[in-house]
Amino acid sequence: MSTLSFDIAHLLAGGMLLVSFMMIYQTRLYALLNVFALHAVMLALSVAWQAVVQDAPHLYVTAAIALFFKAILIPGALHRIIQRMGIHRQVEQVVGTGATMLLGMGLVALSTVLMLKLTSGSDALAREDLAFALSIVLLGFLMMITRRNAVSQVVGFMSLENGLILAAAGAQGMPLVVEISVAFSVLVAFIVIGVFLFRIRERFDSVDVTVMDDFRGEKR
Amino acid sequence: MVNLVLGGALLLMMLGLASVVLAGRAGASKIVYGASALLSALVAVVGLVFLLSLAPSSTLILPIGLPWIGAHFRLDALAAFFVIVVGFGSAIISIYSIGYGRHEAEPWRVLPFYPSFIGAMLLVVIADDAFTFLLSWEVMSLLSWALVLAHHREQAVRSASLVYLIMAAMGTMALILAFGLLAGPVGGYDFDHMRSVAESPLLGAIVVILMLVGAGSKAGIVPLHVWLPQAHPAAPSQVSAMMSGIMTKVAIYGFIRVTFDLLGGAAWWMPEIVLAVGAVTAVMGVLYALMQHDLKRLLAYHTVENIGIIFIGLGLAMAFRHYDMNAAAALAMVAALFHILNHSVFKSLLFLGAGAVQNATGSRDMEEMGGLIHRMPVTSVVFLVGSIAISALPPFNGFVSEWLTFQAILLSPDLPDWGLRILTPGVGGMLALAAALAAACFVKVYGVVFLGRARSSQAKTAQEVDRWSLAAMAVLAVVCLLAGIFPGFVIDALSPVSHALVQSSMPVQTTDPWLTITPVASGRSSYNGLLVLLFIAGSASFAAWAIHRFASRGLRRAPAWDCGFVLDAPNTQYGAASFAQPIRRTFGTAVFRVVEHVSMPRPGSTAPAKFRVTMRDPVWDGFFVRIGGGVGWLADKANRLQFLTIRKYLSVVFTLLVLLLLVLTLWN
């Protein structure tokens, strides 16, 4: 593999990681959705570049799925949900931005050290890719537990899933059917979560999940 | 040959199924017990023929069980010996039950489980892969649990069976871990693979400790014995005999199979642990027994003691094998195996005798018995034989195996390891103490139960038990005597077993003149059971004649109005508690924190004076109560986990994930 293609792959995956960090400090919901769309675009680019490098045409399909569903359809749908619920003004965060960023950096360091250590036998591209992917997964998880609003938890989950796709694209020989099924399962999850959002809201007049805790009689 | 044993075991299990249908009918118990006796006896004969013919081990693989593993069965010398122990003991106990089973109020609670229990024990012994072994072991545990629960309407029985169930589950878990370690990363679960792999000393030590917990808890080593004196007496008497006499031996079989056969070798300090555990078990068991006045519970504690003696033999065999002292290892191994056989015989005999006594007097409390030698002459004779045997007195079998154990202990100065050289004489001292205390305990049992005057109206009107029961007990008593007089034959029969386990056998005994046995060398020590029997018979006859001649018929002077007795009330006799008092005061205050309370009435009051003894079980209080408290505390704390918010659950998962990743990072 030439140095240039490696550098570009590195750049795109690193870009995704950077966007993940951007998501962590977005406190406004609309901005969060925009950043998430950017995240998905970066994923599509990254996967498409892998398709070029590995000469694997089925990865173009994966990239297209990512671009269509995650960069356009899901952010658009979430946008409409927020509009209909009228919660676009809400600002919410459980842990402060600074602390979350520090935690995120720690997670990136951990996953880099771990992945570089574990995959010492494989080629450089896959190693870097896996390290980035694990970082993105952990950051998505971190986002899910540091947010209170159900919408941003959904976004965290989606970005976590983007990290998985990135890892799958980096590993050579992953069949297309697996990727498609993963993409569709995410879509189904999105629909289910969307439905749930409305049900939660109908019942509690809010999508803030702490209200559900109050409902269970465990106000904290 | 293994297919015959397997067939016998499966037939016994099917008999258990059939008796579900039969159990309600009259005469069912006779059929089921009779068929069990027949099948067990046939299986025992197969084992005996196999052992004596020195046949090569016979294997069988059935395509059932885990995929790609199947069910392996194997009959080798060790398995054959235990097939004999299980088959012979079960046959005799079943014959006893033909008569005794009539007294069972609800036979359908016992009959279906009884033959299946025998079958499961046989399967454990012939199993040749970890899965079959564990499955049979678990079936054995559960069936015996169901048998313990037969009289489930009593609260004590229910709590005993609960303790038993928990201990059995814990023991099986330890066994699973041990077999997992033996199977290694490649997962070779058949015993052949485990034999071929040599484990590192540390791994071997862990396996031995897990086996001590797993098999030892079933056998009843201190401090894992707590379930045994509760569960064994709670079952019907024939089942108590089965559990104490036979199932504990199957547990020891598991220990021997793993530590001597499957395990390549263990760390050098392992024999010391086994020896120490054995010595503590022997002494603690007999001390517990001395404090007891419940006949069956006392016998159960004596099982604990004898398991300790067997483990001392096994520990010595491990030590000698570790330092390649082959002749000594064979001696220690044969001593342990001989004691296994002996204990299964005389403990079955004693439990069956206790069952007969319980049936006749309606009680297990020794303080309500007395004078039964007049009402139950045959039972009292066979019980006396069992008592002498378990007290390790010549000319019966218990003496021979304990004497062999002592001979092995006397060889310990030749060991190169200083720790063992210092420890083993101490163990010998403990063994001697246990033997002496056991003799004291059975003087108490026999004196209180069979001698003196009846302490209750039921004891006064007790009836001798039926002929089936008497015949079974008589057979066991005769075996006790024969094995004591002709130990050379037993030792020679055991030599293939010891050869398979420690790669050496004891010198052939039956070629010695006049049936003498010489375990090491003729200049060192020898024992002749026949000679001792003749001497005892002669001197006892002479003493009896002399007493009758000079004491009974002699002229005696007594106070004029007492007729020889000061007060004619049975409770003025020496009771079980009074007999045990000196020993209770000597050992009990330190071990059991015994306190004697005497409350005297005020002068002039007509209230009776009261004497009360309180004691604490150090193992139960110091070990199990604390563990129980710890589990409760932990459950209390963990209960909060049930009421977290979704975000907190996610945080817990996330933290755990990050921690695992960290461990992975630092580990490699």
Side-chain angles (χ1 to χ4, degrees):
Chain A
M1 181 187 297
S2 69
T3 329
L4 178 68
S5 62
F6 173 72
D7 283 345
I8 291 179
H10 207 150
L11 176 72
L12 289 170
M16 265 186 89
L17 186 58
L18 197 64
V19 177
S20 280
F21 272 106
M22 283 166 68
M23 265 195 282
I24 285 180
Y25 68 75
Q26 293 302 334
T27 50
R28 299 266 172 185
L29 285 178
Y30 281 156
L32 182 66
L33 284 184
N34 294 342
V35 175
F36 173 67
L38 182 60
H39 199 254
V41 170
M42 294 301 285
L43 172 72
L45 282 177
S46 187
V47 173
W49 183 249
Q50 288 288 341
V52 174
V53 171
Q54 294 179 15
D55 196 15
H58 68 265
L59 282 182
Y60 287 119
V61 182
T62 311
I65 290 174
L67 192 66
F68 178 67
F69 283 118
K70 295 200 165 154
I72 300 169
L73 196 65
I74 293 178
L78 281 174
H79 219 273
R80 283 194 55 201
I81 289 176
I82 291 171
Q83 239 170 9
R84 281 177 56 191
M85 289 185 176
I87 52 172
H88 56 280
R89 284 181 209 281
Q90 284 188 4
V91 176
E92 43 79 37
Q93 222 164 9
V94 180
V95 188
T97 310
T100 322
M101 295 292 268
L102 279 177
L103 269 176
M105 280 188 238
L107 291 176
V108 173
L110 172 69
S111 53
T112 313
V113 171
L114 178 67
M115 273 303 161
L116 294 187
K117 218 173 189 178
L118 285 185
T119 58
S120 51
S122 14
D123 67 303
L125 179 61
R127 293 175 65 189
E128 301 276 327
D129 232 23
L130 281 175
F132 281 126
L134 184 61
S135 314
I136 292 166
V137 166
L138 290 180
L139 285 179
F141 214 142
L142 184 65
M143 183 159 164
M144 284 181 79
I145 63 172
T146 53
R147 297 299 173 110
R148 197 179 281 154
N149 188 300
V151 175
S152 39
Q153 287 188 348
V154 172
V155 171
F157 176 69
M158 297 281 164
S159 73
L160 183 155
E161 208 274 334
N162 285 352
L164 289 182
I165 301 263
L166 181 68
Q172 291 179 8
M174 178 93 155
L176 177 65
V177 65
V178 175
E179 287 167 30
I180 289 180
S181 62
V182 169
F184 271 99
S185 64
V186 169
L187 194 65
V188 169
F190 163 72
I191 292 167
V192 171
I193 291 170
V195 171
F196 261 104
L197 276 179
F198 279 103
R199 304 291 305 179
I200 292 169
R201 159 139 156 143
E202 269 172 34
R203 186 130 335 210
F204 300 108
D205 284 336
S206 170
V207 282
D208 189 334
V209 290
T210 46
V211 179
M212 288 197 277
D213 301 337
D214 296 346
F215 178 70
R216 291 205 303 176
E218 289 151 20
K219 194 167 173 72
R220 285 169 204 254
Chain B
M1 302 281 276
V2 68
N3 46 3
L4 292 177
V5 181
L6 180 64
L10 293 182
L11 277 178
L12 279 163
M13 293 207 144
M14 276 187 252
L15 181 64
L17 285 181
S19 53
V20 174
V21 186
L22 281 175
R25 303 189 191 164
S29 72
K30 262 187 189 173
I31 298 171
V32 173
Y33 287 124
S36 306
L38 193 66
L39 284 169
S40 313
L42 286 177
V43 168
V45 167
V46 171
L48 192 63
V49 169
F50 182 90
L51 193 61
L52 293 182
S53 66
L54 305 175
S57 57
S58 125
T59 57
L60 183 70
I61 301 175
L62 294 183
I64 50 173
L66 283 190
W68 300 292
I69 295 180
H72 295 240
F73 298 98
R74 182 164 181 264
L75 188 67
D76 55 7
L78 177 66
F81 171 65
F82 278 92
V83 164
I84 297 171
V85 170
V86 174
F88 174 72
S90 309
I92 302 296
I93 294 172
S94 303
I95 291 175
Y96 172 89
S97 313
I98 294 176
Y100 186 78
R102 279 181 313 193
H103 307 297
E104 191 62 50
E106 297 170 304
W108 52 88
R109 292 199 190 282
V110 178
L111 285 185
F113 305 118
Y114 180 88
S116 323
F117 179 42
I118 305 174
M121 288 194 288
L122 287 171
L123 285 182
V124 171
V125 172
I126 57 171
D128 197 35
D129 66 277
F131 181 72
T132 314
F133 183 92
L134 288 171
L135 186 71
S136 318
W137 182 280
E138 223 18 35
V139 170
M140 173 182 90
S141 296
L142 287 177
L143 287 173
S144 57
W145 172 76
L147 285 167
V148 168
L149 209 47
H151 299 158
H152 65 110
R153 291 204 170 79
E154 295 161 39
Q155 171 58 34
V157 171
R158 287 201 299 272
S159 68
S161 68
L162 179 66
V163 173
Y164 176 34
L165 198 63
I166 294 171
M167 290 300 283
M170 188 206 69
T172 309
M173 201 174 74
L175 287 184
I176 290 174
L177 291 177
F179 280 118
L181 285 179
L182 282 172
V186 294
Y189 283 101
D190 55 315
F191 284 178
D192 265 340
H193 174 265
M194 294 180 185
R195 271 184 204 103
S196 63
V197 176
E199 283 82 9
S200 69
L202 183 65
L203 195 67
I206 296 173
V207 170
V208 175
I209 288 174
L210 284 172
M211 286 310 292
L212 268 181
V213 174
S217 66
K218 178 75 68 188
I221 61 171
V222 175
L224 302 170
H225 67 281
V226 286
W227 66 274
L228 194 145
Q230 299 184 31
H232 286 194
S237 286
Q238 73 270 36
V239 179
S240 309
M242 198 84 115
M243 290 176 75
S244 244
I246 303 174
M247 189 176 74
T248 54
K249 308 303 170 300
V250 175
I252 291 178
Y253 162 81
F255 183 80
I256 296 177
R257 175 63 82 191
V258 169
T259 47
F260 284 89
D261 189 14
L262 305 184
L263 198 62
W268 56 270
W269 42 271
M270 232 32 254
E272 306 188 358
I273 297 215
V274 177
L275 272 175
V277 163
V280 169
T281 303
V283 173
M284 284 301 284
V286 73
L287 282 179
Y288 275 117
L290 272 161
M291 305 296 128
Q292 283 300 327
H293 312 312
D294 176 330
L295 184 53
K296 282 173 79 176
R297 186 171 271 233
L298 181 146
L299 291 176
Y301 275 122
H302 271 287
T303 301
V304 174
E305 178 225 341
N306 279 283
I307 294 300
I309 295 171
I310 294 167
F311 268 96
I312 289 175
L314 293 177
L316 285 170
M318 281 171 89
F320 289 132
R321 188 176 74 147
H322 189 81
Y323 294 105
D324 291 325
M325 297 167 63
N326 286 336
L331 172 60
M333 195 70 214
V334 168
L337 292 172
F338 203 167
H339 202 69
I340 287 170
L341 178 69
N342 290 344
H343 182 248
S344 85
V345 174
F346 59 62
K347 186 47 64 71
S348 303
L349 169 58
L350 288 170
F351 258 114
L352 298 184
V357 169
Q358 185 188 357
N359 208 26
T361 62
S363 170
R364 296 196 327 227
D365 189 355
M366 285 160 54
E367 306 285 18
E368 295 179 15
M369 297 170 187
L372 292 179
I373 196 168
H374 303 295
R375 255 79 63 185
M376 307 172 74
V378 183
T379 306
S380 67
V381 169
V382 292
F383 200 92
L384 181 63
V385 170
S387 304
I388 299 175
I390 199 174
S391 309
L393 293 174
F396 293 102
N397 55 357
F399 172 78
V400 182
S401 48
E402 285 198 33
W403 182 75
L404 287 175
T405 312
F406 274 115
Q407 293 302 320
I409 286 174
L410 291 178
L411 291 176
S412 66
D414 299 339
L415 281 166
D417 176 17
W418 272 101
L420 278 168
R421 272 153 87 167
I422 295 169
L423 177 71
T424 316
V427 170
M430 303 269 271
L431 182 56
L433 177 64
L437 289 177
C441 191
F442 274 92
V443 170
K444 166 182 124 176
V445 171
Y446 201 78
V448 173
V449 174
F450 289 100
L451 305 182
R453 284 165 291 149
R455 291 179 178 79
S456 68
S457 56
Q458 275 145 320
K460 210 172 277 176
T461 58
Q463 295 283 319
E464 184 63 285
V465 287
D466 56 277
R467 292 203 178 152
W468 288 104
S469 306
L470 290 180
M473 291 191 286
V475 170
L476 289 173
V478 169
V479 171
C480 278
L481 183 63
L482 288 181
I485 307 175
F486 307 114
F489 294 100
V490 182
I491 293 171
D492 282 357
L494 287 176
S495 75
V497 186
S498 85
H499 193 82
L501 294 176
V502 294
Q503 285 75 46
S504 62
S505 336
M506 282 176 66
V508 177
Q509 304 291 334
T510 35
T511 52
D512 284 359
W514 295 102
L515 301 168
T516 307
I517 56 168
T518 49
V520 187
S522 57
R524 193 166 176 129
S525 55
S526 60
Y527 170 70
N528 189 324
L530 200 57
L531 212 60
V532 172
L533 173 70
L534 290 177
F535 174 73
I536 289 176
S539 56
S541 310
F542 176 74
W545 172 80
I547 288 170
H548 272 283
R549 176 69 186 78
F550 297 111
S552 305
R553 293 184 203 153
L555 189 65
R556 285 182 292 171
R557 285 184 185 281
W561 305 106
D562 277 356
C563 306
F565 280 103
V566 179
L567 178 63
D568 186 27
N571 55 6
T572 57
Q573 300 175 93
Y574 242 55
S578 27
F579 193 91
Q581 192 187 43
I583 297 168
R584 194 170 65 221
R585 286 189 174 165
T586 316
F587 296 99
T589 39
V591 181
F592 302 108
R593 282 190 279 143
V594 168
V595 185
E596 297 177 353
H597 310 268
V598 182
S599 55
M600 295 296 286
R602 294 163 54 81
S605 160
T606 53
K610 286 205 175 98
F611 177 78
R612 200 159 52 84
V613 179
T614 57
M615 59 177 85
R616 312 288 307 168
D617 182 343
V619 175
W620 184 259
D621 285 356
F623 206 62
F624 288 92
V625 169
R626 288 194 188 163
I627 289 179
V631 169
W633 179 83
L634 208 63
D636 239 24
K637 295 288 163 202
N639 193 25
R640 286 175 53 187
L641 281 179
Q642 189 151 6
F643 304 105
L644 294 184
T645 63
I646 299 171
R647 216 168 50 75
K648 280 184 179 161
Y649 279 126
L650 279 177
S651 310
V652 169
V653 174
F654 182 68
T655 317
L656 198 64
L657 176 69
V658 170
L659 275 181
L660 287 177
L661 290 177
L662 264 177
V663 168
L664 200 60
T665 315
L666 299 177
W667 193 273
N668 286 322

